[in-house]
Structures are given as C-alpha cells and as structure tokens.
Amino acid sequence: MDLQNQAHPPEHELADYVSGLSWDELDEWSRSHLAKIIFDNIAISVGAIRQDHISGKIVEKHALENASGSGTSTLWSGRGKLSADQAALCNGTWAEILDYQDVIVDPRNNGHAAVTIVPAAVAVAERERRSGKELVCALAAGLEVTIAVLRAIGRMHRADGRGFRTSSIAAPLGAAAACAKLMDLDKAKILNAMGLAGACSPNGLMPSLSPSDGSFCMDKDWVNGLAAQLAVNSADHSRAGMTASDRVVTGDRGIMASHAHGGELRLLAPSAPTANLKSVALKKFASCYGVHTAMEATQEILEDGNISQEMVEQVTVRVKSDSSTTLVTRQIRNHMAARFSLPYSVAATIFRGVKISPSDFEEPAIFDKEVLRLMARVEIVADDALTQFHEETGGFPAIVSVRAAGKTYSKRIDYPIGSAKRPMNWDDLIGKFKDLLDPGTTSRNHSRLRRTEADVSRYDNVVDFVEMMNCSRAQLKP
C-alpha cells in the first residue's frame, strides 16, 4: 500500500471533519468527558502554580517583562492577561510541570495531547469570546486530529534510542485545528494552520527523561508551552494568509516520513464525531502514567493484607519492557525524577498507603529518608507478557508482589483509574483540584465548588469560566 501518494490527501478529510463538527453531534458522555479534561487541565496547572515551580515562573516572568499592549487571555497564575499566544505559552508550561495530565491510551501510540491543546484553545476562546460549548467542540476536534496522526505514525519515533515527544509531534496539529475552529476559519485555512504547526513544531526531544542521564530538567515543561504557543501562532498566521503544505503528515519529508520509521499506517479521519475520545485518560496520581497501576496494586495489597511498611521485606514490580528501563531511576534529585521513578512511587505508596497525595511528589517529601530506604527493597522486572498486553490493548499493566512477615501477596492491575475502563467522575476531579490547592484538607476547603461550576459547557463565555477557576485558586495562597 502506497501511503505517500494518495489521490485525495487524508489531511483534507481531517480538515473537513474539523470544519463540520458541531456541538449537537457530541453525545452526552463525550460532552462530559471533554469538559472534565478542560477542568482537569487548568486544575493541574493551578497545582503547579501553588507549588511555585521554577520553570513556570521563568517562562511567565519573561513573557510579562516583554509584553506590550493590553492582553486578551488570562494567565492561570492570576498574574494578569497576555496575548493569546503568550498566555498559551505560559499556561502550557504550567500544565506540564506536575506530569498530572491526560494520557492517550491506544495500542498504536501513547502520549499527551490535551495538555497542549487546552492551553492553546482556552486562550483563543477567551480572545474570540467563545462559549463553553464551542470550546468543548474545538477540543473534540483537536483531540481526534492528534489521535489520528499518532495512530498513523505508530511507536517507532520512541524506539531504538529515539526520543521524540508525542505531544510535540502530533498535538500541535490538533491544537492548531482547535484554534482554527474557534476562529471560524474555512477548510483551506484549517489545512494551513495544521500544516504550519506540523512543519514548524519543535518536536521536543527527551534526554531529560533518560534514567541513564539522570537529569530530569525543566526543558520538558517549556517545550509543551512552546507547542501550545505554536498552535495559536499557526492559526493566527493562517488567518492572515500564510500558507503551508496540505500534506504535512503524509507528504514527502512530512511527519510520517520523518518519524514512522516503517511503522506507519494510513492516516484516517474519525469515523464518528468522537470515535477515539475514550482513548484519552486522566490521572489519579501526580506522576508518570506508567507507575500508576503499580502504585494502586501496592495500595490494595497493603490494605487487603493489613500490612504496615515495617513489615515489608521485598517488593517485586513486573511491568512492560520499556517501563523497566525508562522508569527505574533511583537518584531522586528533584520532583520530576520522583514522578518518573517506579522504585520511588512504590516506596512512597508503601510509606503513605492510601493517603498518598500530590505533595508526596514534591519537596521535602521526595527526600524523606524512610521512603528512600524503602526504595532499596523494590525490584523492577521486565515482563514479556505484559509488554504484549500493552502493545495489543494500550493498557499499562503491572504485577506487584510484596513479601511481608514471611508471606507473599500479589496483585495485577491492567488499567489505571482514569482510563476509559475505570473513569473518574466529577467528584473525583473536584477532589483532585481541592487536594492540589490545599493538600490534606480536601474535606473542608472549597466545598462550595459544584459540578455545574466546573463544567465549562455551561458558560456562555469562556472568560467567565476562567475567572471562576482563578477565583478558586485565589482563595488559598501557597
């Protein structure tokens, strides 16, 4: 099958889909899930802001110092407004920091998308004075475009030592499509917006996430902000008349030719309005998605066996092969290293149990000597059967075995909480937001925040929704 010389470029079908998608075509589940994704994205950004993380502060300080004129789009930190592209840059950086964002769970590819699309789309929706329903519909289009591109590319962009980020390869196209839709651009300009974003994407690399390097640096955060900014710029430049290839994915020297490495499939537009939306999962824990099932399995073993951390003698964690090499750092130098470490995440779970919270992946908790001591008892093992399961289903299975007081207890979990098979409800997400704002006091703070307020689709103007989120943030100071 010749994937590069199709008479009717599939990018045109994607643009047709983006242009034609309407709120009325979205079913109730899709509307709710999309609204949850938007709320969650801003909530996790507020959590990073509350922790005063340096990468977000650096990007935002630079943007504010170089701003000129009045802004149209809100900084989620509460520090005013900037132009839509600069707000997307700052908010997109904050959204990435905690690694608490959405995950695409698909047999063809995994990665993050909404963490790029939402900051860009919200900034444009504010500027264009769009409704919550229009924002939700634009996000649906952006996510479907991103997933279509990722499925066409496959996984080889991360194989054999390569380290291209999925959120930089495909999410800028989806984000540009979402922004173009919010700007009411026609099909030709949607194509140009996607073409500009695809051709000019930073295609962020991942050396900072290599356990062998052990650096875990802040470039990971900034590159997501850059991808969101690029999406806004691409849509704006397209509206102004800038052109780009209409085959940025499938054409000669395009995304597939550069990143698929023989693993490509045909690029296909969605077969239904939200055909692939269930691929987008949210997170229960403030850490890499690859450690969640191991954490949850550990929690269940400790609770079911009434096991205290003093009783634990040895822990074996079986995971898919790439997780056994990329999530094994034991040098916990900063919060990011903790979030990407199976040994740390499991040890922290043993120490904290069901009370583990986002603050357990921040200083000073990450340097707790008791947790670091427990890490020595955690062994990580590659499991071929779990690797095959992941490749066939997109799931993130883990088998945890805990030896305690002379007995061995085992538990397998295939899909984390937050996935389509185990979705989070509105109460879960509002509770997550509360815990990010004031760890340990979820039951008392912000009890007045209701689902009706958290659902952006209920707002006639996205500006009002963003103001509500900022007011919620402002009620509690770091």
Side-chain angles (χ1 to χ4, degrees):
M1 178 174 61
D2 187 349
L3 297 171
Q4 307 304 320
N5 293 289
Q6 302 170 47
H8 184 61
E11 288 90 340
H12 286 245
E13 296 178 12
L14 283 178
D16 283 332
Y17 161 79
V18 172
S19 178
L21 185 65
S22 69
W23 168 263
D24 292 339
E25 292 179 277
L26 305 179
D27 60 37
E28 285 298 324
W29 180 89
S30 297
R31 292 172 178 177
S32 179
H33 189 48
L34 290 159
K36 289 175 186 174
I37 291 169
I38 294 167
F39 173 82
D40 187 69
N41 198 270
I42 299 179
I44 62 177
S45 304
V46 168
I49 291 161
R50 182 192 178 280
Q51 291 291 340
D52 219 23
H53 277 285
I54 297 173
S55 56
K57 290 172 64 178
I58 290 171
V59 171
E60 193 160 279
K61 181 176 183 290
H62 184 269
L64 285 167
E65 287 177 346
N66 289 277
S68 60
S70 58
T72 61
S73 303
T74 304
L75 294 173
W76 297 343
S77 64
R79 298 188 181 108
K81 292 189 176 186
L82 290 173
S83 62
D85 68 317
Q86 290 296 301
L89 168 66
C90 296
N91 295 336
T93 302
W94 286 117
E96 174 70 21
I97 291 172
L98 301 186
D99 212 75
Y100 214 170
Q101 74 276 58
D102 65 290
V103 184
I104 293 173
V105 181
D106 187 89
R108 283 285 296 167
N109 214 327
N110 296 103
H112 311 289
V115 71
T116 302
I117 301 169
V118 172
V122 169
V124 171
E126 277 195 274
R127 185 188 68 190
E128 304 292 322
R129 314 292 289 185
R130 296 302 183 190
S131 69
K133 290 180 179 179
E134 289 171 309
L135 174 61
V136 165
C137 192
L139 175 60
L143 285 170
E144 288 289 345
V145 166
T146 302
I147 295 168
V149 174
L150 289 178
R151 283 183 167 176
I153 296 169
R155 298 178 180 274
M156 295 301 290
H157 60 93
R158 295 274 292 274
D160 301 326
R162 290 181 284 269
F164 289 103
R165 292 170 54 95
T166 52
S167 53
S168 294
I169 292 174
L173 276 81
C179 292
K181 185 171 184 63
L182 288 164
M183 294 161 61
D184 282 334
L185 301 190
D186 61 21
K187 173 185 172 179
K189 291 188 182 297
I190 292 171
L191 274 170
N192 283 328
M194 292 193 299
L196 290 166
C200 300
S201 171
N203 283 340
L205 297 174
M206 304 176 68
S208 286
L209 299 183
S210 169
S212 61
D213 296 339
S215 53
F216 294 97
C217 297
M218 301 174 195
D219 53 287
K220 165 185 173 291
D221 308 329
W222 187 33
V223 76
N224 188 69
L226 290 171
Q229 179 187 24
L230 172 64
V232 177
N233 290 151
S234 297
D236 281 343
H237 291 347
S238 175
R239 178 160 67 177
M242 188 173 287
T243 61
S245 171
D246 65 347
R247 297 194 59 187
V248 69
V249 181
T250 63
D252 184 39
R253 305 187 186 190
I255 292 174
M256 287 171 65
S258 300
H259 294 292
H261 302 288
E264 64 268 26
L265 293 177
R266 187 180 293 275
L267 176 65
L268 298 173
S271 58
T274 53
N276 305 301
L277 187 58
K278 288 188 176 181
S279 297
V280 184
L282 299 175
K283 287 184 178 181
K284 177 182 179 181
F285 302 112
S287 55
C288 174
Y289 199 65
V291 308
H292 284 212
T293 47
M295 290 176 67
E296 190 181 351
T298 301
Q299 283 182 329
E300 292 194 15
I301 288 172
L302 298 180
E303 190 171 10
D304 292 346
N306 196 25
I307 299 168
S308 66
Q309 60 105 353
E310 293 84 5
M311 298 167 61
V312 175
E313 301 165 1
Q314 179 68 33
V315 181
T316 301
V317 182
R318 307 185 74 86
V319 290
K320 58 189 178 71
S321 60
D322 61 345
S323 294
S324 73
T325 59
T326 61
L327 301 176
V328 293
T329 188
R330 295 175 185 270
Q331 299 179 21
I332 308 303
R333 298 173 178 171
N334 56 37
H335 76 100
M336 196 182 306
R339 298 180 202 281
F340 282 83
S341 170
L342 273 163
Y344 174 84
S345 299
V346 171
T349 304
I350 294 170
F351 189 68
R352 304 292 181 188
V354 296
K355 295 181 179 180
I356 195 164
S357 73
S359 62
D360 290 306
F361 290 91
E362 301 282 356
E363 297 182 20
I366 60 172
F367 301 131
D368 190 301
K369 292 181 179 179
E370 287 299 309
V371 175
L372 299 181
R373 180 181 60 81
L374 283 168
M375 283 176 60
R377 304 180 192 179
V378 180
E379 178 188 17
I380 310 300
V381 178
D383 189 302
D384 290 341
L386 298 185
T387 302
Q388 183 177 355
F389 180 90
H390 170 72
E391 292 173 350
E392 291 175 352
T393 68
F396 282 75
I399 302 172
V400 176
S401 298
V402 176
R403 182 168 179 79
K407 295 182 180 180
T408 300
Y409 306 80
S410 294
K411 180 72 177 182
R412 172 172 175 165
I413 295 179
D414 291 334
Y415 297 96
I417 291 176
S419 64
K421 293 184 180 294
R422 306 176 67 201
M424 299 174 75
N425 60 35
W426 276 108
D427 288 341
D428 294 330
L429 292 176
I430 292 172
K432 176 178 169 178
F433 183 39
K434 293 173 180 177
D435 206 29
L436 282 164
L437 285 169
D438 195 8
T441 59
T442 297
S443 61
R444 70 166 175 83
N445 91 57
H446 288 28
S447 59
R448 291 173 296 175
L449 183 60
R450 299 181 297 272
R451 172 180 174 175
T452 53
E453 295 174 298
D455 186 346
V456 68
S457 68
R458 297 175 180 267
Y459 291 76
D460 293 331
N461 192 325
V462 169
V463 173
D464 297 329
F465 172 73
V466 176
E467 182 179 347
M468 180 279 297
M469 294 294 289
N470 261 357
C471 286
S472 293
R473 174 202 54 75
Q475 288 180 31
L476 288 171
K477 302 294 185 183

